Each structure stands twice: as C-alpha cells, then as structure tokens.
Amino acid sequence: MSAAHLPAETAPRRCLPPLAPARRTALRLPEGSSDAHAHVFASACPLDPALGYTPAMVTVQDYRRVMDAYGIDRAVLVQPSVYGFDNSALLSALAALPGTLRGVDEAYRWRRPT
C-alpha cells in the first residue's frame, strides 16, 4: 500500500528492524537453504515521498549477519516500495553479495499510465 491510498491525515507507519541474533544460533536451517523474500535498505538512497511506511535501515551487511546466524545460503531481495522506481539500493545490495543474492523488482505493476 502506498501513501496515495491513505487518508491525508495518516502518517506512514514506522517499521521496527528485524530481531537478529548477534551470532550463530542453535536453530540452523538445512544446508542450501534460501530466503525467498527479504528487503534491505540504504540510507544513501532517497525514499519515495509517497511511501506507505518508514523502514528501519537494515543494510545488506545487517542482512548478511542474519543469513550467517541461521545458515541461509542464498536469498532473494525484493525491491521495497518505499524507493518507488529507484532500484539503486537493490542493485547495490546485489553487487555486494554476487552469487548469494538475486533480486525481484515489480515496478512494472505500479507503472503510471501514459
């Protein structure tokens, strides 16, 4: 949901960061496990003014620690809606961990009519 769908007096929700263990946990996923849907954020990238929530800035390095803690080998990052059509945060994260991360961007679904 974008802010365009919210009543004018409604402020975007603030999201808390995920609770990530500080180190490897006793709960280990099977070898070869993949996370099929994750988001990362970069404070250097501007947020879309029509955002529907305000994210906690979870970087690709933060997410890598989560992967290591649980034994996740691969992950699919999904373009967060708060960046609108700017995929620079997603592309930067994918470049940081080549071979480990893949990306999905559904901007075509939100294309503005011409």
Side-chain angles (χ1 to χ4, degrees), residues 44-102:
C45 299
L47 298 175
D48 187 327
L51 58 86
Y53 66 97
T54 302
M57 287 293 134
V58 178
T59 67
V60 69
Q61 294 83 9
D62 296 330
Y63 182 61
R64 181 70 222 193
R65 284 191 290 276
V66 171
M67 291 177 72
D68 291 343
Y70 289 105
I72 299 169
D73 292 326
R74 298 176 300 275
V76 177
L77 298 181
V78 178
Q79 168 75 4
S81 62
V82 297
Y83 290 123
F85 294 100
D86 179 358
N87 338 5
S88 55
L90 176 64
L91 294 174
S92 176
L94 296 175
L97 296 173
T100 301
L101 301 175
R102 296 292 187 258

